[in-house]
């Protein structure tokens, strides 16, 4: 990532994101939230949130109803997808199902197949913006704070994080609703640090480079510091002097003093080698795989990092309204990468406290439309990996049935009657619970954490 892109992600010298405050937002009374420090200390939670922007189809993780779907779909599944094979637990083998089965057998995975919103169904709400806003805030009130903002303030109030905590919150994707203030501002030094897949250093000051052209010989003289990793002493001194002169705020002075140690810290992490994972090596050339690998590298080497948020950049989006065939290869790479991530966590001894949560704004209907894609749905899968200190992995949770009572384009899956199901906001409640919050439903419109 070029430095100018880091500037977009960074706030002053601390590299922290500054998201706008919604003018109509109401502040949350955090005194109503119960935080149990003993649970937090036992869990030692570190969570990587992987968000599937676009609303990923749930079919890779749930082919339970595929025979009936094929029979009633507008377009032929068998005529379009090269192969649809159900695994033992009804995963889509060609779309990464074999990787899911392996993680399930290792006790590393819970798949909740019945995240279904009765509230959204009643209001016919299946829009990307609104559903992402709600899921990343854990609230149907879209003016509220994001779930990482809430967690930050709760951990600050509990004395778990402060201005000496190093990179407690990291974004690998830039701005998102996870960090929306909603009138609940967090200290600037605890706002998320923006990093990228290669862990290129946002705190580094590169040497300024200059060129001198000899028009006759067409030669270039001067510095070319594309590979530079050090501070230019003169430039560094000049900037610090200017900061002291024009800023009386002690926090700004502290930020300049911290920058070089932080630069060294990130460079040290970036230099760490990923263990040899053998057959579980990360997919070569995958931007998403590199981003997840780097996220684990940061967390495994920095217990201060509590949350990392990321998307699936490099794989493409999940808004498969048409030409959905690529969903199969995309999902195969996605779940193979998750399996590599679990092998990585195992190799560094962090599988019990570091977890990965995978979800989206919604799932998709299962009618294969005339453009050979799926339109917006309601039911989605939640994939929970690792974090055995606080996730009691249950394998597959919830059963689904097919609703084919309406128009063909409303062919959709929903929870089977009397089966275990959850509003989407329960995903946020589950996240909060991992960090020792014993009444997360106060933040999630009464929706409890998923039973694990």
């Amino acid at each position: 990532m070029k430095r100018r892109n880091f500037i977009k992600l960074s706030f002053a010298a601390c590299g922290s994101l500054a998201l706008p405050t919604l003018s109509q937002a109401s502040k949350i009374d955090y005194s109503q939230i119960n935080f149990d420090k003993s649970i937090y200390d036992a869990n030692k939670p570190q969570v990587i949130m992987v968000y599937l922007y676009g609303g990923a189809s749930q079919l890779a993780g749930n082919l339970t109803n595929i025979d009936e779907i094929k029979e009633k779909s507008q377009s032929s599944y068998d005529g379009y997808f090269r192969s649809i094979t159900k695994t033992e637990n009804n995963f889509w083998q060609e779309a990464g199902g074999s990787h899911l089965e392996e993680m399930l057998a290792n006790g590393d995975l819970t798949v909740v197949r019945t995240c279904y919103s009765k509230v959204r169904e009643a209001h016919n709400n299946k829009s990307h913006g609104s559903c992402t806003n709600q899921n990343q805030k854990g609230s149907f009130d879209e003016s509220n704070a994001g779930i990482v903002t809430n967690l930050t303030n709760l951990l600050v109030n509990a004395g778990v994080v402060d201005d000496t905590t190093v990179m407690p919150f990291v974004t690998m994707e830039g701005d998102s609703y996870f960090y929306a203030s909603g009138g609940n501002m967090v200290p600037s030094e605890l706002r998320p640090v923006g990093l990228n897949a290669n862990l290129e250093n946002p705190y580094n000051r590169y040497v300024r480079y200059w060129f001198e052209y000899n028009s006759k010989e067409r030669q270039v003289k001067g510095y070319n510091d594309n590979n530079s990793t050090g501070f230019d002493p003169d430039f560094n001194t000049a900037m610090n002097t200017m900061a002291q002169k024009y800023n009386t705020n002690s926090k700004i002075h502290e930020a300049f003093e911290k920058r070089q140690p932080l630069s060294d810290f990130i460079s040290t992490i970036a230099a760490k080698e990923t263990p040899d994972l053998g057959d579980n090596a990360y997919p070569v050339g995958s931007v998403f795989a590199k981003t997840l690998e780097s996220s684990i590298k940061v967390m495994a080497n920095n217990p201060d990092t509590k949350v990392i948020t990321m998307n699936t950049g490099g794989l493409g989006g999940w808004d498969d309204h048409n030409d959905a065939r690529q969903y199969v290869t995309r999902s195969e790479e996605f779940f193979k990468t998750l399996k590599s991530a679990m092998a990585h966590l195992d190799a560094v001894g962090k599988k019990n406290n570091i977890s990965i949560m995978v979800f989206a704004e919604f799932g998709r209907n299962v009618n294969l439309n005339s453009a050979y894609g799926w339109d917006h749905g309601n039911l989605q899968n939640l994939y929970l990996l690792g974090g055995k200190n606080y996730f009691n992995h249950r394998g597959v949770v919830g059963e689904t049935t097919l609703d084919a009572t309406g128009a063909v384009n409303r062919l959709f899956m929903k929870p089977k009657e009397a089966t275990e199901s959850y509003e989407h906001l329960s995903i946020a409640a589950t996240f909060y619970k991992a960090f020792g919050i014993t009444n997360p439903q106060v933040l999630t419109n009464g929706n409890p954490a998923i039973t694990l």
Side-chain angles (χ1 to χ4, degrees):
M1 184 182 289
K2 295 184 182 299
R3 184 169 177 79
R4 63 176 175 270
N5 293 328
F6 274 120
I7 292 173
K8 295 177 184 177
L9 289 176
S10 302
F11 177 83
C14 288
S16 301
L17 288 174
L19 285 94
T21 302
L22 296 172
S23 59
Q24 300 301 314
S26 57
K27 294 184 69 174
I28 294 172
D29 182 2
Y30 292 114
S31 68
Q32 303 301 309
I33 314 302
N34 300 326
F35 173 77
D36 190 322
K37 181 70 160 48
S38 65
I39 295 176
Y40 174 84
D41 289 340
N43 290 352
K44 298 181 175 62
Q46 294 177 276
V47 180
I48 299 172
M49 310 280 279
V50 182
Y51 198 80
L52 307 178
Y53 288 93
S57 167
Q58 64 275 19
L59 289 176
N62 185 9
L63 284 181
T64 305
N65 311 109
I66 190 62
D67 294 334
E68 188 180 359
I69 291 169
K70 287 180 179 180
E71 177 187 340
K72 296 176 179 177
S73 175
Q74 175 181 3
S75 299
S76 171
Y77 273 75
D78 287 332
Y80 183 67
F81 293 104
R82 293 183 181 89
S83 186
I84 302 177
T85 307
K86 287 195 289 187
T87 67
E88 179 183 354
N89 287 284
N90 291 314
F91 300 129
W92 188 344
Q93 181 173 307
E94 291 79 8
S98 58
H99 307 306
L100 287 167
E101 289 286 0
E102 191 170 333
M103 290 186 285
L104 204 67
N106 290 337
D108 292 334
L109 172 69
T110 296
V111 182
V112 183
R113 285 177 169 164
T114 47
C115 292
Y116 181 85
S117 177
K118 295 179 180 178
V119 174
R120 289 178 184 167
E121 198 65 39
H123 291 83
N124 194 28
N125 177 18
K126 299 178 183 68
S127 65
H128 291 295
S130 177
C131 293
T132 288
N133 187 320
Q134 293 170 6
N135 286 5
Q136 293 187 356
K137 293 180 177 180
S139 173
F140 288 124
D141 183 350
E142 295 181 22
S143 68
N144 273 6
I147 63 175
V148 181
T149 295
N150 286 334
L151 179 67
T152 303
N153 284 319
L154 287 164
L155 295 183
V156 168
N157 292 346
V160 173
V161 298
D162 56 31
D163 59 4
T164 66
T165 310
V166 179
M167 298 195 311
F169 308 103
V170 174
T171 174
M172 307 292 279
E173 59 171 338
D175 291 6
S176 73
Y177 290 117
F178 285 123
Y179 306 101
S181 67
N184 299 266
M185 298 300 293
V186 300
S188 60
E189 63 271 17
L190 294 178
R191 294 177 190 168
V193 171
L195 299 177
N196 72 349
N198 295 316
L199 297 182
E200 290 174 314
N201 201 326
Y203 299 102
N204 211 359
R205 280 197 182 133
Y206 295 100
V207 179
R208 305 299 90 188
Y209 49 116
W210 56 271
F211 298 98
E212 178 184 329
Y213 290 87
N214 182 315
S215 58
K216 191 171 185 178
E217 299 180 6
R218 306 293 295 174
Q219 292 178 340
V220 180
K221 301 178 181 179
Y223 299 107
N224 185 340
D225 66 344
N226 289 336
N227 296 317
S228 172
T229 57
F231 282 28
D232 171 54
D234 293 338
F235 179 65
N236 186 56
T237 300
M239 288 296 291
N240 285 342
T241 300
M242 187 165 59
Q244 296 286 339
K245 181 178 179 180
Y246 293 107
N247 295 287
T248 58
N249 188 324
S250 62
K251 290 292 184 182
I252 294 178
H253 293 173
E254 291 174 15
F256 274 89
E257 292 169 1
K258 290 178 179 178
R259 192 189 60 254
Q260 186 162 354
L262 283 168
S263 175
D264 295 341
F265 182 75
I266 292 177
S267 295
T268 299
I269 291 176
K272 298 281 187 181
E273 294 289 338
T274 298
D276 183 358
L277 303 179
D279 293 339
N280 290 322
Y282 286 99
V284 176
S286 168
V287 174
F288 168 66
K290 184 65 176 177
T291 305
L292 186 53
E293 177 185 6
S294 294
S295 296
I296 290 174
K297 192 182 292 188
V298 169
M299 278 196 163
N301 291 284
N302 183 34
D304 275 3
T305 298
K306 311 304 179 188
V307 181
I308 295 178
T309 60
M310 59 177 288
N311 57 27
T312 56
L315 292 183
W318 299 89
D319 197 17
D320 292 304
H321 284 283
N322 50 51
D323 298 329
R325 187 179 285 134
Q326 291 304 312
Y327 168 83
V328 178
T329 54
R330 190 188 317 131
S331 296
E332 160 67 22
E333 183 177 333
F334 177 74
F335 290 115
K336 184 178 190 301
T337 298
L338 289 180
K339 186 176 72 171
S340 298
M342 294 313 300
H344 188 174
L345 288 174
D346 195 28
V348 296
K350 295 290 184 177
K351 195 160 62 172
N352 289 342
N353 72 292
I354 295 178
S355 65
I356 302 172
M357 299 182 69
V358 180
F359 62 108
E361 57 264 47
F362 44 61
R364 308 194 81 79
N365 289 340
V366 292
N367 172 59
L368 192 63
N369 62 33
S370 59
Y372 293 98
W374 306 289
D375 297 320
H376 296 184
N378 187 348
L379 179 133
Q380 72 161 305
N381 301 329
L382 166 67
Y383 301 93
L384 297 170
L385 302 95
K388 291 185 177 181
N389 285 352
Y390 43 93
F391 289 152
N392 178 29
H393 287 296
R394 298 172 53 196
V396 175
V397 175
E399 295 182 79
T400 56
T401 187
L402 185 70
D403 191 310
T405 57
V408 67
N409 64 353
R410 287 291 294 123
L411 189 66
F412 63 98
M413 297 163 74
K414 64 182 183 181
K416 186 179 289 187
E417 188 175 347
T419 196
E420 187 175 340
S421 64
Y422 297 92
E423 284 277 344
H424 293 76
L425 304 189
S426 285
I427 298 172
T430 305
F431 168 82
Y432 290 134
K433 187 178 179 182
F435 284 89
I437 297 168
T438 59
N439 61 339
Q441 65 275 10
V442 174
L443 293 166
T444 56
N445 298 137
N447 292 286
I450 293 164
T451 302
L452 294 167

